[in-house]
Amino acid sequence: MAKYIFLTGGVVSSLGKGIAASAVGALLEARGLTVTMQKLDPYINIDPGTLSPFQHGEVFVTDDGTETDLDLGHYERFTHVRATIANNFTTGKIYYNVIKKEREGFYLGQTIQVVPHITDEIKSVIKSVAGDKDIVLVEIGGTIGDIESLPFLEAIRQMPYDVGRDNCMYLHLTLVPYIQSAGELKSKPSQHSVKELREIGIQPDALLCRCDRPLPSEMKHKIALHCNLDVGAVVGAVDVETIYEVPLVLHNEGLDELIIKRLRLQSHEPQLEQWTDVVKRIKGPSGQVTIALVGKYTEYKDAYKSLTEALIHGGIANDVRVNFRWIPSEDVDVAGVASGLLEADGILVPGGFGYRGIEGKIEAARYAREKGIPYFGICLGMQCAVIEFARDVCGLAGANSAEFDDQTVDPVIYLMQTWYDHRQNTLQERTMQSQKGGSMRLGSYPCVLTPQSLSHQAYGSIEIAERHRHRYEFNNAYMELLESNGLLISGFSPDKQLVEIVELPQSQHPWFVGCQFHPEFKSRPTEPHPLFSAFIGAALREKRSLFP
């Protein structure tokens, strides 16, 4: 039978529950245990697919095409978990399932209530991911005290009665702030947070105390006394230079040993060499490169969480630190070439939706192409590179995407209304009237690479599969014109109907690649993605050629 670990958070949001849960998963895997993870989100949206990046950060996409919370990206980067639709549930999805069952007559004769029907549904989805895993690690979104998370908390309170108390463990992440004027750490927020949790009926088995400095022994004893815990169950979660150091910090605090004893698990000593190596490479690189990110949501860095992590992974692969220059694409729009581009060793234009800032992204692609600066265009970044090439190289001055101008005379990017879905083996259809939620080309799709292309050199393979999240596609009607002017189309769907990667030949440019998919979703610190490794490597070579 699987053991269940539930992680909640208190005091304030953004304490890093996702990182903490992922680090715990990494520690347990390092001890030889098998782990799966799940995120339960209290918002009513069915999924985060239609949420603004400014409100909820990036939308992470799984192989099966599920749009999920960004924390699932952390789960995949820290552990061997490969998330599916079963690994992320929202309040909206839970209620939708229950209401659908009620309409179908599943509860015939019953009055449908939060307890037991909603809580039973929550417990059912928690148990559904267990399979043959040793540990199911469940993160509860939101903050203790929020009204919307109460059904989830009630469900996990009931879990010991279903699976046994020895098979459940509660971890609570809280804040121990340092008050500068008083010159001391304060435990009262943690005490109140645990008090609220206990009022719900949950006594945490361990407390992860987020703090900006090591917790003194006397503070641990004080927190333990007031929160009804053994002092060994008060774990310091001190701020670190890189998130990949968190498993090492929690191990040094004895958290993995505490979990093993509490759940009566059999395991070997943790093998943490790979995490030690990752941290060493991040903290002590032999060089550095500067990458300009020209985006639409640069004010909120979580909108590009997987992207920035993948760039760091590319730095690990090349033994360099990656410095970021965040450039709002509207600034390039207004001011021409922003100063950040002049300082960049490489330029990356990420995905996005809507017309705002598009001309700035196109200008960034033009600047990189003309100046010979390594360029990486992802999803919308690829589309902007195609638009720029059509305008400035092929002479199609009015070239655009139908997403931004539905009257354009040259829609080099357009809404493909029919295509064959190789993942689901079905014919997909879309129109401008299709619903927005979950209606994009989503999830993993196969791609065939052109031999000897930059992409082929990076991957070392002809056949790959990558994750997608977009509605608009390269317009094949312009393929011959663009290719005849020097654009290399180096990645296609197996039936050659969908363009996946475009490049400039190495004879024309040091490194210029645009891909329709999101490679950042598959990058990990221990397995940097090939395209990010190649991009950072190209930026490093160009920097060394200019400044030997």
Side-chain angles (χ1 to χ4, degrees):
M1 176 185 286
K3 308 277 187 174
Y4 295 85
I5 300 175
F6 301 103
L7 179 69
T8 55
V11 185
V12 294
S13 60
S14 300
L15 278 182
K17 290 195 302 298
I19 299 292
S22 302
V24 170
L27 278 177
L28 295 174
E29 282 193 344
R31 282 181 167 267
L33 299 167
T34 57
V35 174
T36 189
M37 303 184 71
Q38 188 178 58
K39 175 74 181 289
L40 301 178
D41 274 308
Y43 52 81
I44 297 176
N45 306 63
I46 295 292
D47 60 47
T50 56
L51 290 175
S52 165
F54 290 116
Q55 286 202 12
H56 201 71
E58 77 169 6
V59 174
F60 187 78
V61 178
T62 61
D63 279 337
D64 67 355
T66 304
E67 295 173 288
T68 75
D69 184 82
L70 65 81
D71 280 329
L72 273 76
H74 293 312
Y75 301 168
E76 290 203 358
R77 285 187 283 274
F78 277 79
T79 73
H80 289 90
V81 170
R82 297 300 169 259
T84 69
I85 193 171
N87 295 90
N88 190 199
F89 278 85
T90 65
T91 293
K93 193 182 289 187
I94 294 292
Y95 272 79
Y96 178 81
N97 289 349
V98 171
I99 291 169
K100 186 179 177 183
K101 287 180 181 178
E102 188 274 333
R103 290 291 83 189
E104 292 171 350
F106 184 83
Y107 306 110
L108 208 55
Q110 299 180 40
T111 300
I112 311 306
Q113 298 175 289
V114 173
V115 180
H117 300 93
I118 296 298
T119 51
D120 281 352
E121 182 70 18
I122 294 169
K123 290 188 291 182
S124 175
V125 303
I126 291 173
K127 296 171 188 174
S128 71
V129 298
D132 59 355
K133 303 298 184 184
D134 296 319
I135 302 289
V136 178
L137 220 166
V138 183
E139 176 192 350
I140 309 297
T143 307
I144 296 302
D146 295 344
I147 191 170
E148 58 263 31
S149 61
L150 286 174
F152 290 121
L153 297 172
E154 171 59 22
I156 67 171
R157 183 196 68 80
Q158 296 175 16
M159 279 292 289
Y161 301 100
D162 290 12
V163 301
R165 184 66 181 92
D166 286 343
N167 296 318
C168 291
M169 183 175 185
Y170 299 103
L171 303 180
H172 188 55
L173 179 66
T174 185
L175 178 68
V176 179
Y178 180 79
I179 305 302
Q180 189 68 43
S181 58
E184 60 182 355
L185 292 161
K186 290 294 183 181
S187 66
K188 193 63 71 176
S190 296
Q191 295 176 39
H192 280 291
S193 185
V194 171
K195 178 174 177 289
E196 288 215 38
L197 197 57
R198 293 174 67 188
E199 286 175 353
I200 295 166
I202 297 172
Q203 166 65 48
D205 295 295
L207 209 58
L208 311 185
C209 298
R210 183 72 188 271
C211 45
D212 66 355
R213 63 203 66 209
L215 277 183
S217 176
E218 59 270 22
M219 177 59 71
K220 287 187 176 183
H221 278 85
K222 181 178 181 181
I223 292 172
L225 176 65
H226 288 281
C227 295
N228 197 33
L229 289 166
D230 293 332
V231 68
V234 179
V235 176
V238 68
D239 293 352
V240 288
E241 185 179 331
T242 169
I243 58 173
Y244 303 116
E245 196 174 356
V246 177
L248 302 178
V249 169
L250 296 183
H251 168 67
N252 290 336
E253 287 283 306
L255 179 60
D256 50 326
E257 187 66 29
L258 179 69
I259 293 171
I260 296 300
K261 290 180 178 178
R262 172 65 186 79
L263 294 176
R264 301 181 183 180
L265 292 161
Q266 297 295 319
S267 75
H268 57 63
E269 286 299 306
Q271 298 173 350
L272 297 169
E273 294 81 8
Q274 66 174 355
W275 294 109
T276 302
D277 182 59
V278 164
V279 171
K280 180 180 177 182
R281 286 172 173 269
I282 291 175
K283 287 188 168 184
S286 63
Q288 56 185 331
V289 294
T290 299
I291 301 299
L293 284 91
V294 184
K296 293 156 63 74
Y297 319 113
T298 52
E299 303 95 313
Y300 188 43
K301 305 302 186 290
D302 271 359
Y304 300 114
K305 191 60 184 173
S306 291
L307 187 65
T308 53
E309 292 305 313
L311 286 166
I312 291 170
H313 305 162
I316 292 173
N318 289 278
D319 196 26
V320 294
R321 174 179 290 109
V322 179
N323 301 315
F324 301 114
R325 290 286 184 273
W326 296 93
I327 302 176
S329 54
E330 288 175 295
D331 288 0
V332 184
D333 227 349
V334 173
V337 177
S339 60
L341 292 182
L342 301 176
E343 304 164 357
D345 303 309
I347 296 172
L348 191 149
V349 176
F353 296 91
Y355 182 72
R356 180 180 63 84
I358 291 302
E359 291 302 322
K361 290 193 171 195
I362 293 171
E363 177 63 22
R366 182 195 66 78
Y367 181 80
R369 180 181 60 80
E370 292 183 347
K371 300 296 184 182
I373 300 173
Y375 176 86
F376 195 5
I378 295 176
C379 197
L380 179 58
M382 183 207 90
Q383 296 176 1
C384 288
V386 170
I387 293 169
E388 187 278 324
F389 194 87
R391 289 179 183 177
D392 298 329
V393 178
C394 301
L396 303 179
N400 212 330
S401 167
E403 180 182 4
F404 315 131
D405 180 5
D406 58 8
Q407 302 299 316
T408 178
V409 294
D410 290 305
V412 292
I413 305 296
Y414 78 130
L415 182 69
M416 182 178 281
Q417 298 193 359
T418 304
W419 77 89
Y420 185 70
D421 184 337
H422 288 266
R423 185 166 48 82
Q424 301 183 32
N425 295 318
T426 58
L427 192 67
Q428 294 286 334
E429 296 183 356
R430 299 286 186 273
T431 68
M432 295 298 291
Q433 285 70 47
S434 295
Q435 66 178 19
K436 299 298 183 186
S439 64
M440 293 180 277
R441 184 150 74 99
L442 289 163
S444 182
Y445 282 80
C447 174
V448 179
L449 303 179
T450 301
Q452 307 308 313
S453 62
L454 288 168
S455 302
H456 177 229
Q457 292 173 31
Y459 281 98
S461 175
I462 292 294
E463 297 182 5
I464 62 169
E466 293 284 2
R467 300 178 188 179
H468 291 250
R469 184 175 183 255
H470 57 95
R471 289 190 181 86
Y472 290 80
E473 304 279 356
F474 181 100
N475 190 339
N476 294 343
Y478 292 87
M479 187 183 301
E480 184 177 348
L481 174 63
L482 271 65
E483 284 188 312
S484 67
N485 279 275
L487 189 69
L488 173 64
I489 297 176
S490 60
F492 286 95
S493 59
D495 60 5
K496 293 230 168 187
Q497 292 303 301
L498 299 168
V499 170
E500 301 283 31
I501 307 177
V502 301
E503 302 177 5
L504 289 179
Q506 285 180 286
S507 59
Q508 297 181 25
H509 195 282
W511 204 91
F512 192 104
V513 175
C515 57
Q516 185 61 81
F517 47 81
H518 287 269
E520 66 270 26
F521 292 150
K522 294 181 74 171
S523 186
R524 289 161 186 82
T526 53
E527 300 174 26
H529 191 282
L531 289 180
F532 283 92
S533 298
F535 172 55
I536 297 301
L540 182 60
R541 287 193 302 275
E542 289 307 299
K543 177 177 182 176
R544 286 174 174 170
S545 69
L546 293 172
F547 306 103

